[in-house]
PDB file of all heavy atoms in Angstrom:
ATOM      1  N   ALA A1445      -1.341  16.375  21.782  1.00  0.00           N
ATOM      2  CA  ALA A1445      -1.718  17.394  22.761  1.00  0.00           C
ATOM      3  C   ALA A1445      -1.140  18.717  22.289  1.00  0.00           C
ATOM      4  O   ALA A1445      -0.286  18.763  21.392  1.00  0.00           O
ATOM      5  CB  ALA A1445      -1.176  17.013  24.131  1.00  0.00           C
ATOM      6  N   PRO A1446      -1.563  19.841  22.857  1.00  0.00           N
ATOM      7  CA  PRO A1446      -1.036  21.140  22.425  1.00  0.00           C
ATOM      8  C   PRO A1446       0.478  21.235  22.582  1.00  0.00           C
ATOM      9  O   PRO A1446       1.054  20.766  23.569  1.00  0.00           O
ATOM     10  CB  PRO A1446      -1.751  22.135  23.352  1.00  0.00           C
ATOM     11  CG  PRO A1446      -3.008  21.445  23.755  1.00  0.00           C
ATOM     12  CD  PRO A1446      -2.638  19.995  23.873  1.00  0.00           C
ATOM     13  N   MET A1447       1.114  21.838  21.623  1.00  0.00           N
ATOM     14  CA  MET A1447       2.554  22.089  21.663  1.00  0.00           C
ATOM     15  C   MET A1447       2.796  23.337  22.498  1.00  0.00           C
ATOM     16  O   MET A1447       2.070  24.326  22.377  1.00  0.00           O
ATOM     17  CB  MET A1447       3.050  22.311  20.224  1.00  0.00           C
ATOM     18  CG  MET A1447       4.509  22.660  20.064  1.00  0.00           C
ATOM     19  SD  MET A1447       4.864  22.991  18.293  1.00  0.00           S
ATOM     20  CE  MET A1447       6.626  23.279  18.340  1.00  0.00           C
ATOM     21  N   PRO A1448       3.798  23.339  23.389  1.00  0.00           N
ATOM     22  CA  PRO A1448       4.082  24.541  24.173  1.00  0.00           C
ATOM     23  C   PRO A1448       4.588  25.679  23.284  1.00  0.00           C
ATOM     24  O   PRO A1448       5.189  25.446  22.232  1.00  0.00           O
ATOM     25  CB  PRO A1448       5.156  24.089  25.161  1.00  0.00           C
ATOM     26  CG  PRO A1448       5.776  22.895  24.527  1.00  0.00           C
ATOM     27  CD  PRO A1448       4.707  22.233  23.728  1.00  0.00           C
ATOM     28  N   HIS A1450       6.961  27.815  23.875  1.00  0.00           N
ATOM     29  CA  HIS A1450       8.413  27.993  23.901  1.00  0.00           C
ATOM     30  C   HIS A1450       9.114  26.654  24.143  1.00  0.00           C
ATOM     31  O   HIS A1450       8.568  25.758  24.785  1.00  0.00           O
ATOM     32  CB  HIS A1450       8.822  28.982  24.989  1.00  0.00           C
ATOM     33  CG  HIS A1450       8.204  30.337  24.845  1.00  0.00           C
ATOM     34  ND1 HIS A1450       8.534  31.206  23.839  1.00  0.00           N
ATOM     35  CD2 HIS A1450       7.235  30.962  25.577  1.00  0.00           C
ATOM     36  CE1 HIS A1450       7.833  32.322  23.955  1.00  0.00           C
ATOM     37  NE2 HIS A1450       7.031  32.197  24.998  1.00  0.00           N
ATOM     38  N   HIS A1452      10.074  24.176  22.121  1.00  0.00           N
ATOM     39  CA  HIS A1452       9.924  23.061  21.195  1.00  0.00           C
ATOM     40  C   HIS A1452      10.159  23.510  19.758  1.00  0.00           C
ATOM     41  O   HIS A1452       9.719  24.581  19.345  1.00  0.00           O
ATOM     42  CB  HIS A1452       8.509  22.469  21.283  1.00  0.00           C
ATOM     43  CG  HIS A1452       8.312  21.545  22.430  1.00  0.00           C
ATOM     44  ND1 HIS A1452       7.540  20.412  22.340  1.00  0.00           N
ATOM     45  CD2 HIS A1452       8.785  21.578  23.698  1.00  0.00           C
ATOM     46  CE1 HIS A1452       7.533  19.790  23.512  1.00  0.00           C
ATOM     47  NE2 HIS A1452       8.272  20.489  24.361  1.00  0.00           N
ATOM     48  N   LYS A1509       1.403   9.734  29.154  1.00  0.00           N
ATOM     49  CA  LYS A1509       1.471  10.666  30.277  1.00  0.00           C
ATOM     50  C   LYS A1509       2.570  10.241  31.255  1.00  0.00           C
ATOM     51  O   LYS A1509       2.597   9.102  31.728  1.00  0.00           O
ATOM     52  CB  LYS A1509       0.121  10.708  30.999  1.00  0.00           C
ATOM     53  CG  LYS A1509      -0.062  11.859  31.956  1.00  0.00           C
ATOM     54  CD  LYS A1509      -0.399  13.142  31.224  1.00  0.00           C
ATOM     55  CE  LYS A1509      -0.804  14.231  32.226  1.00  0.00           C
ATOM     56  NZ  LYS A1509      -1.106  15.502  31.548  1.00  0.00           N
ATOM     57  N   TRP A1525       9.993  16.911  25.267  1.00  0.00           N
ATOM     58  CA  TRP A1525       9.267  16.743  26.530  1.00  0.00           C
ATOM     59  C   TRP A1525       8.469  17.999  26.838  1.00  0.00           C
ATOM     60  O   TRP A1525       9.019  19.089  26.965  1.00  0.00           O
ATOM     61  CB  TRP A1525      10.221  16.435  27.668  1.00  0.00           C
ATOM     62  CG  TRP A1525       9.563  16.270  29.007  1.00  0.00           C
ATOM     63  CD1 TRP A1525       9.693  17.081  30.099  1.00  0.00           C
ATOM     64  CD2 TRP A1525       8.656  15.234  29.388  1.00  0.00           C
ATOM     65  NE1 TRP A1525       8.942  16.605  31.134  1.00  0.00           N
ATOM     66  CE2 TRP A1525       8.286  15.468  30.725  1.00  0.00           C
ATOM     67  CE3 TRP A1525       8.124  14.126  28.722  1.00  0.00           C
ATOM     68  CZ2 TRP A1525       7.410  14.642  31.417  1.00  0.00           C
ATOM     69  CZ3 TRP A1525       7.249  13.295  29.407  1.00  0.00           C
ATOM     70  CH2 TRP A1525       6.897  13.551  30.739  1.00  0.00           C
ATOM     71  N   ASN A1526       7.158  17.825  26.947  1.00  0.00           N
ATOM     72  CA  ASN A1526       6.262  18.916  27.314  1.00  0.00           C
ATOM     73  C   ASN A1526       6.131  18.913  28.838  1.00  0.00           C
ATOM     74  O   ASN A1526       5.408  18.101  29.406  1.00  0.00           O
ATOM     75  CB  ASN A1526       4.899  18.722  26.647  1.00  0.00           C
ATOM     76  CG  ASN A1526       3.972  19.906  26.854  1.00  0.00           C
ATOM     77  OD1 ASN A1526       3.959  20.531  27.906  1.00  0.00           O
ATOM     78  ND2 ASN A1526       3.171  20.202  25.829  1.00  0.00           N
ATOM     79  N   GLU A1527       6.880  19.812  29.488  1.00  0.00           N
ATOM     80  CA  GLU A1527       6.919  19.839  30.954  1.00  0.00           C
ATOM     81  C   GLU A1527       5.562  20.167  31.547  1.00  0.00           C
ATOM     82  O   GLU A1527       5.157  19.596  32.563  1.00  0.00           O
ATOM     83  CB  GLU A1527       7.961  20.866  31.421  1.00  0.00           C
ATOM     84  CG  GLU A1527       8.196  20.881  32.923  1.00  0.00           C
ATOM     85  CD  GLU A1527       8.820  19.600  33.448  1.00  0.00           C
ATOM     86  OE1 GLU A1527       9.599  18.955  32.709  1.00  0.00           O
ATOM     87  OE2 GLU A1527       8.527  19.249  34.609  1.00  0.00           O
ATOM     88  N   GLY A1528       4.847  21.084  30.903  1.00  0.00           N
ATOM     89  CA  GLY A1528       3.559  21.495  31.441  1.00  0.00           C
ATOM     90  C   GLY A1528       2.533  20.383  31.432  1.00  0.00           C
ATOM     91  O   GLY A1528       1.783  20.197  32.401  1.00  0.00           O
ATOM     92  N   LEU A1529       2.487  19.625  30.353  1.00  0.00           N
ATOM     93  CA  LEU A1529       1.504  18.549  30.226  1.00  0.00           C
ATOM     94  C   LEU A1529       2.070  17.194  30.616  1.00  0.00           C
ATOM     95  O   LEU A1529       1.327  16.211  30.683  1.00  0.00           O
ATOM     96  CB  LEU A1529       0.977  18.488  28.784  1.00  0.00           C
ATOM     97  CG  LEU A1529       0.241  19.737  28.288  1.00  0.00           C
ATOM     98  CD1 LEU A1529      -0.190  19.558  26.834  1.00  0.00           C
ATOM     99  CD2 LEU A1529      -0.973  20.031  29.158  1.00  0.00           C
ATOM    100  N   GLN A1530       3.391  17.136  30.849  1.00  0.00           N
ATOM    101  CA  GLN A1530       4.062  15.892  31.249  1.00  0.00           C
ATOM    102  C   GLN A1530       3.873  14.781  30.212  1.00  0.00           C
ATOM    103  O   GLN A1530       3.568  13.630  30.537  1.00  0.00           O
ATOM    104  CB  GLN A1530       3.552  15.427  32.622  1.00  0.00           C
ATOM    105  CG  GLN A1530       3.967  16.330  33.778  1.00  0.00           C
ATOM    106  CD  GLN A1530       5.463  16.205  34.102  1.00  0.00           C
ATOM    107  OE1 GLN A1530       5.921  15.158  34.554  1.00  0.00           O
ATOM    108  NE2 GLN A1530       6.203  17.276  33.885  1.00  0.00           N
ATOM    109  N   VAL A1531       4.091  15.170  28.939  1.00  0.00           N
ATOM    110  CA  VAL A1531       3.989  14.185  27.862  1.00  0.00           C
ATOM    111  C   VAL A1531       5.131  14.382  26.861  1.00  0.00           C
ATOM    112  O   VAL A1531       5.569  15.504  26.617  1.00  0.00           O
ATOM    113  CB  VAL A1531       2.641  14.270  27.106  1.00  0.00           C
ATOM    114  CG1 VAL A1531       1.486  13.887  28.001  1.00  0.00           C
ATOM    115  CG2 VAL A1531       2.424  15.655  26.517  1.00  0.00           C
ATOM    116  N   GLN A1533       6.421  14.475  23.006  1.00  0.00           N
ATOM    117  CA  GLN A1533       5.731  14.847  21.777  1.00  0.00           C
ATOM    118  C   GLN A1533       6.699  14.852  20.593  1.00  0.00           C
ATOM    119  O   GLN A1533       7.900  15.048  20.753  1.00  0.00           O
ATOM    120  CB  GLN A1533       5.103  16.240  21.907  1.00  0.00           C
ATOM    121  CG  GLN A1533       4.041  16.331  22.987  1.00  0.00           C
ATOM    122  CD  GLN A1533       3.446  17.729  23.100  1.00  0.00           C
ATOM    123  OE1 GLN A1533       4.124  18.658  23.509  1.00  0.00           O
ATOM    124  NE2 GLN A1533       2.185  17.864  22.728  1.00  0.00           N
TER     125      GLN A1533
END
Side-chain angles (χ1 to χ4, degrees):
M1447 177 184 183
H1450 302 291
H1452 280 217
K1509 194 79 171 179
W1525 179 247
N1526 187 323
E1527 186 66 31
L1529 298 178
Q1530 291 288 293
V1531 294
Q1533 297 179 292

